């Protein structure tokens, strides 16, 4: 099975993926035995892999007993993980000794033949072709033998390292900005919780606490418990399919965590809070600073409320509860009418205004960092195909 990258560099040679290192297919310890799961070894599944980082962010870990059960599939640090079942083409690198489930084939690079970072970028560039191997199959799958038999063109190891140095410099900057984004988000959430969850807002000592006769217990006197929909209008997006999208720079927000694709026009003015409407990630809350095309999602923007930051922090603080609104098993949904029934503690408008003013600079920094990351990704993605095929020499 041959997928060949076009190379202008004569010193490059053709090899198979299995010639670059050892390929291992993951295994899942029996989930009924909870003693196999713990906090020792990351257990990576496709949902733990995103385009926002070269590293997976695992939700589950294995215990020592679990690791022994699937010991033959243990991965060292810097293994390249590639999903080959269902969501083909998701790719990540291990930060430490890890395990994956059976949907993932991983490459442990032979250091004499390949740089693990180069393998990562090479596979990322070849993903559209690799996906073509399974075509429009209802349940896409590339088995281990087919995966490791894919032909690639690679330069000598020294050149691989030079190429990887260039590309990883972009990803290192993105990773650092992402860490800063996370810290700023935590700061904003901490301010929100202090004021509106713990009720330690400016001047709180002068306000009497009274029984709300609701799940919220005692709340400041004069505050009310309302339904979210009493204050704001939650709007359903307008579906658009990949076939009708005209490529552009406007994020199309659908049922996933990030944009499904990019269109050439928007139907919602930013900033906008979005809640994914269907699929495994239905209910996921995000904030877009730019104009978007709201597709398979619900949204809140300036047409609903002037207090975008306040309502984003409110909803994000209750992410688990919003996710819990999912209906349906085969294809979960979160509907605007269910979001509208969510009970909230409604504070005085002047305090909401004060919060907006306090966090405005934080969200300004978040916007700038996200824009920087967007530009870095675009620059990296322009260089990527030209570097890993030898079109540009390093």
């Amino acid at each position: 099975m041959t997928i060949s990258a076009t190379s202008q560099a004569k010193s490059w040679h053709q090899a198979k993926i299995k010639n670059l290192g050892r390929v291992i297919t993951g295994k899942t310890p029996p989930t009924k035995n909870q003693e196999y799961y713990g906090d020792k070894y990351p257990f990576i599944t496709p949902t733990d892999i995103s385009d926002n980082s070269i590293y997976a962010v695992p939700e589950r870990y294995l215990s020592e007993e679990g690791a022994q059960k699937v010991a033959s599939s243990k991965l060292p640090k810097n293994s390249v993980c590639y999903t080959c079942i269902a969501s083909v083409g998701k790719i990540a690198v291990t930060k430490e000794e890890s395990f994956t489930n059976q949907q993932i084939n991983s490459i442990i690079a032979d250091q004499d033949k390949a740089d693990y970072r180069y393998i990562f970028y090479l596979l990322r560039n070849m993903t559209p072709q690799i996906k073509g191997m399974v075509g429009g199959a209802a349940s896409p799958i590339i088995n281990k033998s087919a995966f490791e038999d894919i032909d690639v063109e690679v330069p000598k190891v020294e050149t691989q390292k030079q190429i990887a140095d260039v590309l990883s410099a972009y990803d290192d900057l993105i990773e650092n900005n992402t860490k800063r984004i996370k810290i700023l988000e935590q700061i904003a959430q901490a301010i929100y919780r202090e004021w509106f969850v713990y009720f330690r807002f400016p001047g709180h000592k002068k306000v009497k606490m009274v029984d709300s006769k609701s799940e919220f217990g005692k709340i400041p006197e004069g505050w009310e418990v309302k339904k979210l929909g009493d204050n704001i209008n939650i709007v359903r997006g307008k579906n658009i399919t990949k076939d009708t999208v005209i490529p552009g720079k406007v994020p199309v927000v659908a049922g996933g965590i990030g944009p499904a694709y990019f269109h050439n026009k928007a139907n919602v003015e930013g900033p906008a809070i979005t809640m994914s409407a269907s699929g495994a990630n239905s209910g996921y809350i995000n904030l877009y600073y730019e104009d978007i095309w709201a597709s398979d999602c619900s949204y809140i923007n300036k047409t609903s409320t002037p207090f975008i930051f306040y309502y984003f922090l409110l909803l994000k603080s209750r992410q688990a509860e919003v996710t819990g609104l999912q209906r349906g098993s085969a294809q979960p949904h979160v509907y605007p009418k269910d979001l509208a029934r969510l009970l909230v503690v409604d504070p005085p408008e002047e305090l909401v205004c004060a919060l907006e003013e306090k966090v405005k600079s934080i969200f300004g920094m978040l916007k700038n960092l996200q824009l920087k990351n967007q530009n870095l990704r675009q620059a990296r993605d322009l260089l990527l195909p030209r570097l890993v095929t030898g079109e540009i020499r390093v």
Side-chain angles (χ1 to χ4, degrees), residues 88-109:
V88 172
K90 300 181 79 173
I91 184 169
V93 175
T94 58
K95 273 188 174 181
E96 56 188 302
E97 287 189 333
S98 304
F99 294 85
T100 76
N101 73 356
Q102 57 273 21
Q103 291 176 270
I104 297 173
N105 284 316
S106 300
I107 305 166
I108 303 172

Side-chain angles (χ1 to χ4, degrees), residues 127-147:
T127 287
Q129 298 161 277
I130 294 173
K131 284 183 175 181
M133 292 168 57
V134 296
S139 299
I141 180 170
I142 303 170
N143 61 36
K144 179 185 175 183
S145 59
F147 178 72

Side-chain angles (χ1 to χ4, degrees), residues 353-372:
C353 289
L355 177 84
E356 288 275 321
E357 190 61 33
K358 189 170 184 67
V359 300
K360 184 166 63 176
S361 61
I362 294 175
F363 280 96
M365 287 187 280
L366 285 169
K367 178 180 179 180
N368 289 337
L369 286 169
Q370 289 183 5
L371 180 60
K372 285 181 181 179

Side-chain angles (χ1 to χ4, degrees), residues 84-219:
C84 289
I85 299 178
S87 52
V88 172
K90 300 181 79 173
I91 184 169
V93 175
T94 58
K95 273 188 174 181
E96 56 188 302
E97 287 189 333
S98 304
F99 294 85
T100 76
N101 73 356
Q102 57 273 21
Q103 291 176 270
I104 297 173
N105 284 316
S106 300
I107 305 166
I108 303 172
D110 180 337
Q111 296 182 18
D112 294 329
K113 298 177 180 178
D115 183 283
Y116 76 92
R117 299 169 302 163
Y118 180 82
I119 294 175
F120 172 86
Y121 292 116
L122 176 65
L123 289 178
R124 173 174 276 181
N125 185 60
M126 294 178 68
T127 287
Q129 298 161 277
I130 294 173
K131 284 183 175 181
M133 292 168 57
V134 296
S139 299
I141 180 170
I142 303 170
N143 61 36
K144 179 185 175 183
S145 59
F147 178 72
E148 64 183 7
D149 205 39
I150 293 172
D151 285 325
V152 294
E153 286 192 42
V154 295
K156 57 186 180 181
V157 177
E158 291 76 11
T159 304
Q160 291 182 37
K161 289 179 179 178
Q162 291 171 342
I163 291 170
D165 284 344
V166 173
L167 294 170
S168 63
Y170 287 91
D171 277 319
D172 288 343
L173 287 171
I174 291 168
E175 193 77 18
N176 287 334
N177 286 341
T178 301
K179 289 177 182 176
R180 293 173 64 191
I181 286 169
K182 186 174 182 179
I183 291 169
L184 288 169
E185 288 174 342
Q186 290 172 341
I187 292 170
Q189 275 292 341
I191 295 169
Y192 171 83
R193 288 195 302 270
E194 187 74 4
W195 288 24
F196 300 108
V197 177
Y198 307 131
F199 304 126
R200 294 193 288 259
F201 50 87
H204 71 278
K205 291 182 179 179
K206 298 178 182 178
V207 179
K208 182 181 177 182
M209 300 294 289
V210 297
D211 187 2
S212 67
K213 297 180 180 179
S214 73
E215 63 192 73
F216 299 104
K218 288 189 174 183
I219 64 174

Side-chain angles (χ1 to χ4, degrees), residues 226-234 311 336-344:
K226 290 184 175 182
K227 294 176 182 176
L228 182 64
D230 291 339
N231 285 354
I232 57 174
N233 184 33
I234 302 167
Y311 280 105
K337 63 183 179 182
D338 293 326
L339 289 163
R341 285 198 289 263
L342 194 70
L343 291 179
V344 297

